[in-house]
Amino acid sequence: MEKCHQDEKYIGKCGFYYTLSLISSKYKMSILYLLSKHKIIRYNELKRMIDGVSFKSLTKALKELESDDLIIRTEYPQIPPKVEYSLSKRGESLIPILDLMCKWGVDNRQ
């Protein structure tokens, strides 16, 4: 396994911690994974696909993912409002990691 940074005194300064800070929340990885499979998803579709997520939690996760440049929010000027979400290039670069996590879960589920 590749070491983060052997000269780093605290884990908070290593790449592992930074990556976790971007994707760790109850719903962020699910959102990223769904966007990788569906490419473009509207808010209500995401809400239906993620069991138990509240509007507040979903909105917060989406805003944080957009702020971290992991997803793209596209708003269309129409009535009723139409907003779509998709992965950014930076977000797409996380998908191989999420795929490995999925594989590990399938292989190790008891």
Side-chain angles (χ1 to χ4, degrees), residues 4 11-23 68 90:
C4 219
I11 192 168
K13 294 183 178 181
C14 80
F16 175 78
Y17 182 81
Y18 175 71
T19 304
L20 280 183
S21 74
L22 294 179
I23 62 173
D68 291 330
R90 189 173 189 217

Side-chain angles (χ1 to χ4, degrees), residues 25-110:
S25 85
K26 191 169 183 178
Y27 303 107
K28 286 182 181 180
M29 286 191 282
S30 297
I31 292 167
L32 293 169
Y33 200 75
L34 286 168
L35 287 172
S36 76
K37 299 302 176 202
H38 297 277
K39 305 302 179 205
I40 296 173
I41 306 178
R42 294 181 65 184
Y43 183 92
N44 284 330
E45 292 173 302
L46 272 172
K47 175 91 173 72
R48 281 190 293 272
M49 290 181 195
I50 302 173
D51 189 39
V53 67
S54 68
F55 284 104
K56 182 178 178 180
S57 295
L58 181 57
T59 298
K60 181 179 184 226
L62 288 167
K63 283 182 180 180
E64 289 174 3
L65 289 167
E66 181 184 15
S67 173
D68 291 330
D69 192 32
L70 297 175
I71 65 170
I72 298 167
R73 180 182 188 271
T74 305
E75 187 173 344
Y76 297 92
Q78 64 184 52
I79 297 176
K82 179 181 175 183
V83 177
E84 294 178 336
Y85 296 92
S86 59
L87 287 176
S88 66
K89 291 288 183 197
R90 189 173 189 217
E92 287 174 0
S93 71
L94 278 169
I95 300 309
I97 296 166
L98 298 181
D99 285 337
L100 287 172
M101 291 175 69
C102 182
K103 182 184 179 327
W104 187 91
V106 168
D107 293 347
N108 291 279
R109 177 179 270 172
Q110 296 182 5

